[in-house]
Amino acid sequence: KTLTLLDAKAILDFIPLIKKMSPHVDDQLQVVYGNQNWFTRVQGTDIDLPLIRSWGLKSGAFFSTQDVNASAKVAVLGNTVVEQLFGKDADPVGQVIRIRNQPFKVVGTTIHFTPDHALPIALIKRITRATIARHDERVAARGKKRAR
């Protein structure tokens, strides 16, 4: 059995060495913009994953707590996804992509990304059930530095 959102919160609340915790679900999906498409890993996540993974922004912003709470359909794209869908030097912030035929507004792009070119979207129940059908649930964490 995998960890649940409640498990992740409990770990963060009760293990003092854990500084940040970010539950996320992953799936390999087709992402479409206009007549371009790219098969990539889509991650439903919350606002802490870019902090845990140290992802820097190239343009725009990462989605906010308000986006997650409001079930906003927003996405942040890595370099490879930007190049495949929009072209090498494009800035797609404000454009709308489609994931499983659902529209997602691009709110940011990263300076660099994970080796498998993941594409994070706001983690909400509607997305994890409707957009990411066969998903892999995970929890990412970052520890605090020990005092010496």
Side-chain angles (χ1 to χ4, degrees):
K1 184 175 177 175
T2 59
L3 294 173
T4 66
L5 292 174
L6 289 176
D7 295 331
K9 183 175 178 350
I11 289 168
L12 187 59
D13 290 344
F14 295 107
I15 300 178
L17 290 177
I18 301 294
K19 182 178 178 181
K20 295 274 183 202
M21 177 77 60
S22 180
H24 56 98
V25 294
D26 300 341
D27 201 354
Q28 297 289 329
L29 297 170
Q30 193 90 9
V31 180
V32 177
Y33 176 75
N35 65 351
Q36 300 297 314
N37 64 81
W38 183 248
F39 192 72
T40 191
R41 188 174 91 190
V42 175
Q43 291 183 311
T45 190
D46 68 7
I47 63 168
D48 286 328
L49 191 62
L51 302 172
I52 292 167
R53 300 281 190 234
S54 299
W55 291 336
L57 285 169
K58 183 176 183 179
S59 66
F62 206 79
F63 46 81
S64 66
T65 301
Q66 292 82 6
D67 290 330
V68 175
N69 291 342
S71 301
K73 290 186 178 183
V74 292
V76 178
L77 308 182
N79 285 341
T80 300
V81 177
V82 170
E83 287 179 18
Q84 293 299 319
L85 296 181
F86 298 92
K88 185 172 178 160
D89 295 319
D91 183 1
V93 172
Q95 299 298 320
V96 176
I97 60 172
R98 298 191 77 71
I99 303 170
R100 283 225 166 146
N101 215 22
Q102 295 181 45
F104 286 81
K105 182 178 180 181
V106 178
V107 294
T109 63
T110 61
I111 295 170
H112 58 284
F113 228 72
T114 59
D116 50 4
H117 317 296
L119 183 159
I121 59 176
L123 176 61
I124 55 174
K125 288 181 183 177
R126 184 176 71 215
I127 290 175
T128 59
R129 289 189 184 132
T131 304
I132 302 178
R134 297 177 309 275
H135 60 271
D136 178 18
E137 297 176 4
R138 300 171 185 220
V139 173
R142 172 168 262 175
K144 295 179 181 176
K145 291 185 179 181
R146 284 188 155 173
R148 297 189 189 242

